[in-house]
Amino acid sequence: MNFFLNLCTNFVNLSSSLVISVDLPREKFDFPFILAVKDLSAIEIKSIFEKRLSNPKEQEFEEACGQVEKIARLRIEDIFSNMEAKTTNQR
C-alpha cells in the first residue's frame, strides 16, 4: 500500500477519499499514532485510527508500544527472510 504524508498539512492521504489527521492523536495523547500497516487496507487503517482515538491515554500507550514491537518483529522477519533467500540462491 502506498500512502502519502503531506508534512505541510499534517494529514495522511490513504487514498483519494480517505484522509486522517496525524495531529489528533498527538494532541489527545501527547505522542503520535503508531500502527503496523503491513497487509492492512486504507479503510482498515482509517477504522483502526478512529477506534483508537477513543482509547484512554494509558490504553493507547500500551497499544502504541505493542505496535512498535510488531513493526520491529516484522522488520526482523523480513531481514532474515531476505538473508535466507540470498543464501538459498547462492547454493
Side-chain angles (χ1 to χ4, degrees):
M1 169 191 350
N2 294 325
F3 46 128
F4 167 76
L5 177 58
N6 182 334
L7 297 173
C8 297
T9 59
N10 291 321
F11 284 88
V12 177
N13 180 1
L14 300 171
S15 73
S16 60
S17 61
L18 298 173
V19 177
I20 59 176
S21 169
V22 295
D23 285 337
L24 291 175
R26 189 175 300 275
E27 290 169 3
K28 180 174 181 184
F29 304 120
D30 297 323
F31 53 87
F33 179 74
I34 300 171
L35 177 63
V37 298
K38 187 172 185 175
D39 299 326
L40 295 177
S41 71
I43 293 170
E44 290 170 313
I45 294 168
K46 186 173 190 279
S47 175
I48 292 166
F49 178 86
E50 290 170 347
K51 287 177 187 171
R52 285 177 48 190
L53 278 176
S54 66
N55 286 346
K57 184 175 182 175
E58 297 78 20
Q59 181 182 349
E60 182 55 27
F61 184 76
E62 288 181 27
E63 179 64 34
C65 290
Q67 291 297 314
V68 169
E69 291 172 3
K70 183 176 181 179
I71 292 165
R73 181 181 48 79
L74 291 168
R75 288 182 178 178
I76 290 168
E77 287 173 357
D78 283 346
I79 290 168
F80 282 106
S81 177
N82 290 336
M83 288 173 58
E84 185 177 303
K86 287 179 183 178
T87 304
T88 303
N89 290 336
Q90 291 176 352
R91 292 182 186 172

